[in-house]
Amino acid sequence: MTAFTAPLRLRLDSDALVSNWAWLKHRSGAAACGAAIKADGYGAGAVEVMRRLIKAGCRDFFVSNWAEAAMVEPLLEQGISLAVLHGVRDEDMAVALCSRARPVLNTPVQIARWKAAGGGPCDVMVDTGMNRLGLDWRADVAAHLAGLKVETLMSHLASADDDTPLTATQLMRFKELTRHVPAARYSLANSAGICLGESYAFDLTRPGIALYGGIPRSEAEGLIRQVVFPQAQILQRRLVLAGDTIGYNATHVAARDMEIAVLNLGYADGYLRGFSGCGRVSFQGVGMQVVGRVSMDLIAVDVSEASHVAEGDWLEIDYALPAAAAISNLSQYELLTGLGPRFDRVWS
Ligand SMILES: *Cc1c(COP(=O)(O)O)cnc(C)c1O
């Protein structure tokens, strides 16, 4: 039997993932440090991420919905907790009641639904100023939750990656909630919140992006390591003559004779058109630039100065997240979660 391999792959660095979690745990002080593994582990693969983080000592995981919960449920051994951030719709109840994951209840309707079904262990989200999911912090939250066994009361920071007064305001509102809303644990900080220091950590932190190599704030620079390394194979190397154009809509005109390599990677893989004419790749330390538009499944790079690269070689796509975000006008989050299913995901 021949094993099928794709012409594009993500090299995923286990040591870097675990090292990032350990740094975030250290920054969380006495609080437990969990892991957001929604969106298939930010594109890295939720099951493989969870397996590695459990081994490293992580006990608390977060996904968005019940389909994501089902993907990782086989890994839920004793003492491992999984919370479903979007809570329970009517359509989720049958699955939720049989699941070992807990819903994060976000609305009075979700709370009523969960209570009516017996009110088992649950988490609760309170909105302290983001106006996304959660009970309004101004409501009588304790009254809403009367009779429920709340494992984790949480809120989410809207702009901890900026320096804005809203972050401290949310902290103050959340602190007030911890004084009169009973819960076994309290949790506020995402990756950026962890960078802000232990006053944001409470009992449990919920990093996502920084686990996967994102740098949410300067405090993490040089300490968080890149985890995801895309690579794509050369399908063709060709000569382009002066005056010829390259790619869709002929956006690149060759100023002189040049050579290009055409790589098996495109916007359908999450390498979006923001990288047209500016993305960078490398081979054995030699850097090269994307020329012309990114196609659905292909890109061209200028290999005029790289005589050693040939059809079949694997090139490294520059994907250090802050730099790649700056040149592509995408967020570090979009760069990770857009990485599609056509990559082979290869852990080292
Ligand atoms: C996604 C998410 C996180 C993780 O946020 P990062 O910014 O990726 O660290 C934490 N908490 C909640 C509620 C989330 O939705």
Side-chain angles (χ1 to χ4, degrees):
M1 232 176 71
T2 50
F4 174 82
T5 64
L8 70 174
R9 62 190 176 212
L10 297 180
R11 183 171 71 74
L12 297 155
D13 186 333
S14 297
D15 286 347
L17 174 74
V18 168
S19 154
N20 292 344
W21 182 76
W23 184 79
L24 291 157
K25 178 172 165 45
H26 173 71
R27 290 284 301 196
S28 301
C33 182
I37 56 168
K38 58 196 183 185
D40 202 17
Y42 288 49
V47 168
E48 294 304 316
V49 167
M50 186 169 171
R51 209 193 293 286
R52 284 164 176 79
L53 292 181
I54 287 174
K55 216 166 144 196
C58 184
R59 292 292 171 263
D60 298 275
F61 295 88
F62 302 87
V63 292
S64 285
N65 58 49
W66 295 92
E68 291 183 348
M71 277 197 336
V72 297
E73 214 171 328
L75 297 185
L76 288 182
E77 50 193 81
Q78 197 60 39
I80 307 294
S81 121
L82 179 64
V84 180
L85 291 164
H86 293 189
V88 275
R89 303 169 305 159
D90 257 337
E91 297 91 322
D92 298 319
M93 286 304 287
V95 169
L97 289 169
C98 302
S99 173
R100 296 175 57 195
R102 291 192 303 278
V104 180
L105 304 177
N106 292 288
T107 71
V109 172
Q110 289 191 355
I111 289 168
R113 186 176 288 135
W114 195 244
K115 281 183 181 170
C122 59
D123 294 350
V124 171
M125 176 69 75
V126 180
D127 191 288
T128 52
M130 184 174 189
N131 286 303
R132 201 176 63 170
L133 278 181
L135 297 173
D136 194 303
W137 63 279
R138 302 175 195 87
D140 189 345
V141 175
H144 275 296
L145 302 182
L148 273 182
K149 186 171 181 294
V150 179
E151 300 279 337
T152 310
L153 187 80
M154 59 181 93
S155 188
H156 192 53
L157 297 167
S159 26
D161 52 350
D162 291 331
D163 290 313
T164 83
L166 178 58
T167 309
T169 301
Q170 287 193 274
L171 174 63
M172 195 185 64
R173 289 170 181 167
F174 190 66
K175 230 179 226 161
E176 188 56 31
L177 285 162
T178 65
R179 290 198 189 100
H180 51 256
V181 182
R185 295 198 293 181
Y186 299 93
S187 173
L188 177 63
N190 61 348
S191 301
I194 293 169
C195 291
L196 293 173
E198 287 181 33
S199 57
Y200 283 82
F202 294 87
D203 301 307
L204 169 66
T205 57
R206 310 186 306 269
I209 190 77
L211 291 169
Y212 310 102
I215 311 288
R217 297 182 55 93
S218 59
E219 290 88 343
E221 267 166 29
L223 299 162
I224 288 294
R225 292 165 53 185
Q226 186 172 349
V227 173
V228 178
F229 297 84
Q231 301 172 333
Q233 211 168 9
I234 297 179
L235 300 180
Q236 185 173 21
R237 182 179 171 122
R238 66 187 309 142
L239 181 64
V240 175
L241 298 180
D244 280 358
T245 63
I246 298 169
Y248 278 123
N249 304 107
T251 59
H252 186 95
V253 184
R256 60 187 74 82
D257 292 357
M258 64 188 290
E259 289 188 66
I260 61 170
V262 178
L263 307 192
N264 193 113
L265 174 69
Y267 60 75
D269 304 301
Y271 196 74
L272 300 190
R273 271 169 59 161
F275 287 107
S276 299
C278 63
R280 305 277 310 167
V281 310
S282 70
F283 183 73
Q284 296 172 350
V286 177
M288 292 154 254
Q289 183 152 316
V290 173
V291 283
R293 287 230 166 119
V294 174
S295 295
M296 186 183 294
D297 318 299
L298 299 165
I299 54 172
V301 301
D302 183 352
V303 293
S304 305
E305 308 300 320
S307 56
H308 61 315
V309 306
E311 192 172 317
D313 284 339
W314 286 87
L315 301 197
E316 299 273 348
I317 313 300
D318 278 15
Y319 223 65
L321 292 172
I327 65 166
S328 65
N329 271 317
L330 296 166
S331 71
Q332 299 181 61
Y333 296 84
E334 291 166 304
L335 288 175
L336 288 175
T337 58
L339 294 169
R342 294 196 293 192
F343 288 95
D344 279 343
R345 284 165 168 77
V346 183
W347 287 87
S348 60

